[in-house]
Amino acid sequence: MNSSHNRITSSPLINLPSGIVRPSFSLSSFLLQLQISLKSLLPVNLPRLNKSYFFALIDSHIIHYPTPITLTYAWSFGSLAGICLVIQMVSGIFLSMHYAPNVDLAFSSVEYIMRDIKNGWLIRYVHANGASMFFIVVYSHICRGLYYGSYMEPREWLWVSGVILFFLMMGTAFTGYVLPWGQMSFWGATVITSMVTVIPVVGSAIVEWLWGGYTIKNPTLNRFFVIHFLLPFFIAGFTLIHLALLHKVGSNSPIGSDTGVDDVPFYPYYASKDLFALSCFLVFFATFVFYFPNVLNHPDNCIPADPFETPRHVVPEWYFLAYYAILRGIPHKTGGIIAMFGSIAVLFLIPFINSSEIRNTTYRPIFKFFFWLFLADFVILVIAGQKPVTDTYKLVSQVATVYYFMFFLVIIPVVGKIEAALVRHKS
């Protein structure tokens, strides 16, 4: 009796009293099987792809790349910088198709792109504002690295490679600023290239080579155009080195732990997080491109270059203003130029002069005060750099310059030792 009852209940079809036959098909089980099948097609569930070297490389560095679970959106600035580089390269290539690197045609060719080329205004505004977006992202990336100690062991060479990328990026931005051949482009190039004359013995010869003669003219513009076109490819290549160094030691975490016990795969957790950060960034970027396309550019650069009329106030783009303030704050020409380049080169020293054993500035109350003071100091330098040359602003620039170098050369190595002594102190 029991065996026959089991056969009846286990049968796929059961005759109901009403004569209705109930099928074994269940919608919920079908959906469950479909979900399992779809999940098996996700990149994280395709281990057989790892048999191919190419797919194994993608899998290890993008999909299953171990990432600390505590990362915040501050770690999205690295990927955003890569997106900015791609945007600048693609838009720059399209602009170069119509740009004429000739002193008589350069300004007109830019106007031609803006007025006559279909969607040329969009490409040009994306490229012009993209430079500012690039610097905003990179400055944020550097600040995050300073705050969370991303320069500390074992990431010293990762930091150094990032500083080299910053140098290349600044060279690309400067040469690109010259290409529209407006008033600020011409006189900015005149001021910056003239600084090379302070180099003993060979300075004047280098300037003549850069200019292609004794004044800034057509060969100068051609040289700057070629340099500006080639440098982004060097940046792209060095970015791969930067990423290789990053993936060798792994990402730094807010808590400063390198144990790896709390790591999760990059995909889908941080891939979705970076995608959301990218969406917010593109909205911010598009706001400038479509509503405030010229707010970050100097109005004098809308005037064709005139070698016989000097602008009342020659200033670089906003992302160079802090270093320009350092240059102007020192009355000695050679000393000012050395200080300006030294203000960037000092970043190389941080990993090797740091004395702190704690990475996260949140847990370093003394250093945190000096860190936020440094950010305020940098903003003051930016403001002073765009102001006219007066005694007041020169004094402000000099005071801010002193603190700028003190932060890197004195505060970073000394405060770490003070904090270590306080931690080990026994009352």
Side-chain angles (χ1 to χ4, degrees), residues 205-237:
I206 294 175
V207 172
E208 290 180 16
W209 177 82
L210 282 173
W211 288 354
Y214 298 101
T215 58
I216 292 181
K217 50 186 180 179
N218 207 56
T220 313
L221 186 58
N222 274 280
R223 284 167 168 76
F224 276 53
F225 175 67
V226 172
I227 293 172
H228 182 69
F229 193 89
L230 291 178
L231 276 180
F233 294 95
F234 285 97
I235 294 176

Side-chain angles (χ1 to χ4, degrees), residues 149-164 242 245-246 248-250 258 347-354 359:
S150 297
Y151 50 83
M152 296 184 187
E153 188 181 3
R155 298 177 179 85
E156 309 98 315
W157 297 111
L158 174 64
W159 177 268
V160 170
S161 66
V163 177
I164 294 174
H242 189 64
L245 291 171
L246 169 66
K248 177 183 177 183
V249 296
D258 283 335
L347 295 173
F348 284 113
L349 301 178
I350 301 177
F352 309 105
I353 62 176
N354 169 67
R359 291 196 179 117

Side-chain angles (χ1 to χ4, degrees), residues 68 101 136-137 186 217 248 268 271 284 290 313 325 370 393:
I136 290 173
V137 168
F186 175 83
K217 50 186 180 179
K248 177 183 177 183
F284 178 73
F290 294 110
H313 184 41
F370 290 109
Y393 288 116

